Amino acid sequence: MPSYTPPTKDLQFLLHDVFKVSQQLIPGYADLDRAFTAAVFEEAGKIASEVLAPLNKVGDVEGCRLENGVVRTPKGFREAYAQMCEGGWNALDADPAYGGQGMPAILNLATGEMFSSANMAFQMYSGLTHGAISAIHTHASDDQKTTYLPKMIEGRWTGTMNLTEPQCGTDLGLIRTKAEPQEDGTYRITGQKIWISAGEHDMSDNIIHLVLARIPGGPEGVKGISLFIVPKFLVNADGSLGQRNALACGGLEEKMGIHGNATCVMNYDGATGFLVGEAHKGMRAMFTMMNEARLLVGMQGYAQGSVAYQNALAFAQDRLQGRDITGAKNPDGPADPIIVHPDVRRNLMDQKSFVEGARAFALWGATLIDRSHRQDDAEAEATISLLIPVIKGFLTDKGFETTVLAQQTLGGSGFTKEWGLEQFVRDARIAMIYEGTNGVQSLDLVGRKLGLNGGKTVMGFFEMVKAFLKENEGDAVLENGFLGPLKQASKDLQAAAMYFMAEGMKTPNNALSGSYDFMHLFGHVCFGLMWSKMAKAAAEALEGDGADRAFLETKIATGRYYMARQLPATALHLARIRSGAEPVMALDAANF
């Protein structure tokens, strides 16, 4: 059975040595001193490793069951969820006005990684509620906030988002669910939604569904979509639960992974719904939820890679096979541990350099969200909007790849259920699909985000990288394997962006055919920047007390590996982009 060790040391290094959170002027960051975050991470780590991780296989094996309209979650899930609520983990970064603790988003993301690594399917229940809380907090009326937020933040009620229908997924303009106005100001919601994560379960007293639907007579397409709160149980004026609403789970999907999370078909049969915000402006509200969800899904990608890597490393250190070609390292045993072999080292280094780079990238994204929300920083808001499709797409693609690499490290054992690696592979796969497939993320990046603010946002990113390169010229550590590769990778990214600007209007398919490569190229450059920042922070710490020299020196060596072995992929992606649409579109549809 796999194990999980929370990466508390790495999280502390990132928060305090790389991002220097307590020195930043972002409101709330001054409270994030080393002692405080250490205490939070220690407690979160205990929940993750001692409560959630042991339930991961249970959830995978048992799955969820639909019995007489009620979904039964796997054994132990209800008790674990109650423990999470009692500990206030659902309320960590929520508004104190409604019972939250008001902590910054970066702390929520860091603890969320631990919970997701330990048990991704379980953590989805809380993660979806978090997104629903954000949408209601940003767009709902004061009365709606007062009615729903306190119990959702407490965890007694959970939340979902209902977008997809049988005939439409990405193209939400095809939504058919109707919302008919009633004389009392409510709406009758009728329609079917599919693939609704946590749509029905037995862990909370009420489930608050956020449902996209059309008000008859509204505009066609996405401009006519509205957002509604549709609770499982209606709420009385005094806050108590009233009658059951006219909605039900019509079935559970049988899935490749995340078996412990209930993926539901939801039927709305004239259910009572409450309009959120303005009529026909539902997409604006839903994107509040989706953007946050995409950051958290990116986190899921590397969180699964992280736990898979931990178990692959442990196996490689113990498994005896063959001899080191340069001389036996375990002369008293029948063979050497497989970690002595260069190809196994390559495999593990690919995993390690991805996981640690991804963690830094995602936490940097969280600092931008905190700057945006807590300082009303328009530049930070634009930058994170640019990066969201990269975070979601690149981290989940590479996160899945990392779980496969970890599985490969175990050889035949990795293919068996006993060792648990195949579950990480199966669970990680969904992250590349939901909250907008990664192909859609790449189209969003090139089609919408690249031109954000007339191209000023992406140019600002280029200038940020240039500034980092210039201010660190002559740095002994960074000049040795970091600045040169980062500079070249950034040039490749700029060349790709210029290609899209030149070709996009003239031949749109040239841009669209290269969008996926551009997303990965962008991801590699962000990793190059993060690894350079981590190397700089590690070198500075070594010049100080250097309390943990092995950790700091390992960080620099791992960064050099990424810069030498992974970052050059930007040249390949640029070459593919420049090949244009012709090789992609050469075949007629009938010839495939």
Side-chain angles (χ1 to χ4, degrees), residues 182-193:
Q182 304 299 298
E183 291 183 1
D184 62 358
T186 64
Y187 292 78
R188 286 175 57 85
I189 311 298
T190 303
Q192 184 180 79
K193 299 289 184 176

Side-chain angles (χ1 to χ4, degrees), residues 428-471:
R429 186 64 181 87
I430 186 58
M432 302 163 69
I433 298 172
Y434 60 15
E435 304 306 337
T437 65
N438 288 354
V440 170
Q441 302 304 315
S442 71
L443 297 178
D444 178 48
L445 175 63
V446 170
R448 294 177 64 243
K449 303 300 177 57
L450 199 57
L452 200 63
N453 296 324
K456 290 180 181 178
T457 301
V458 72
M459 293 304 295
F461 177 86
F462 296 150
E463 289 303 317
M464 178 177 58
V465 176
K466 286 181 183 178
F468 179 86
L469 292 168
K470 186 169 183 59
E471 71 186 28

Side-chain angles (χ1 to χ4, degrees), residues 245-258:
N245 210 347
L247 60 92
C249 174
L252 290 177
E253 302 292 349
E254 294 187 10
K255 303 163 298 187
M256 174 180 176
I258 56 167

Side-chain angles (χ1 to χ4, degrees), residues 187-442:
Y187 292 78
R188 286 175 57 85
I189 311 298
T190 303
Q192 184 180 79
K193 299 289 184 176
I194 63 172
W195 304 338
I196 307 306
S197 299
E200 164 61 28
H201 58 83
D202 59 358
M203 299 199 303
S204 64
D205 298 334
N206 201 4
I207 302 175
I208 311 306
H209 299 285
L210 292 184
V211 182
L212 289 182
R214 293 187 178 281
I215 300 172
E220 295 293 322
V222 294
K223 293 182 179 179
I225 296 175
S226 301
L227 181 66
F228 300 87
I229 291 173
V230 189
K232 176 180 175 180
F233 290 98
L234 297 174
V235 182
N236 296 323
D238 63 359
S240 62
L241 295 183
Q243 67 183 27
R244 173 72 183 254
N245 210 347
L247 60 92
C249 174
L252 290 177
E253 302 292 349
E254 294 187 10
K255 303 163 298 187
M256 174 180 176
I258 56 167
H259 296 157
N261 192 270
T263 305
C264 304
V265 175
M266 297 301 301
N267 296 321
Y268 295 88
D269 300 309
T272 299
F274 306 88
L275 179 67
V276 176
E278 298 178 47
H280 318 308
K281 302 293 184 183
M283 289 304 297
R284 180 189 306 169
M286 189 55 78
F287 270 114
T288 297
M289 207 170 166
M290 290 177 68
N291 282 334
E292 176 182 303
R294 286 169 178 171
L295 174 64
L296 295 178
V297 170
M299 176 270 285
Q300 288 179 337
Y302 75 82
Q304 291 303 290
S306 176
V307 66
Y309 163 67
Q310 287 184 13
N311 285 274
L313 174 61
F315 183 92
Q317 290 170 331
D318 291 340
R319 176 69 165 171
L320 302 181
Q321 292 282 284
R323 289 293 188 190
D324 186 335
I325 197 169
T326 64
K329 295 299 186 291
N330 180 35
D332 296 331
D336 289 333
I338 64 172
I339 198 169
V340 305
H341 304 306
D343 190 61
V344 175
R345 292 286 188 96
R346 172 201 57 78
N347 192 331
L348 291 171
M349 287 296 285
D350 281 350
Q351 297 171 52
K352 179 178 175 64
S353 63
F354 164 74
V355 168
E356 294 178 16
R359 184 175 292 128
F361 185 22
L363 290 173
W364 177 43
T367 68
L368 293 171
I369 287 176
D370 282 328
R371 278 176 50 194
S372 169
H373 292 174
R374 291 170 174 257
Q375 292 182 308
D376 198 23
D377 187 326
E379 181 182 353
E381 172 66 26
T383 303
I384 190 58
S385 294
L386 170 69
L387 295 177
I388 279 291
V390 184
I391 290 172
K392 196 279 185 185
F394 187 68
L395 297 193
T396 58
D397 275 354
K398 291 294 184 179
F400 173 73
E401 180 182 310
T402 298
T403 64
V404 174
L405 289 173
Q407 184 185 40
Q408 186 73 15
T409 307
L410 273 68
S413 298
F415 199 66
T416 66
K417 289 185 178 295
E418 176 186 356
W419 290 83
L421 271 293
E422 59 86 35
Q423 182 188 345
F424 299 137
V425 173
R426 289 186 287 105
D427 286 354
R429 186 64 181 87
I430 186 58
M432 302 163 69
I433 298 172
Y434 60 15
E435 304 306 337
T437 65
N438 288 354
V440 170
Q441 302 304 315
S442 71

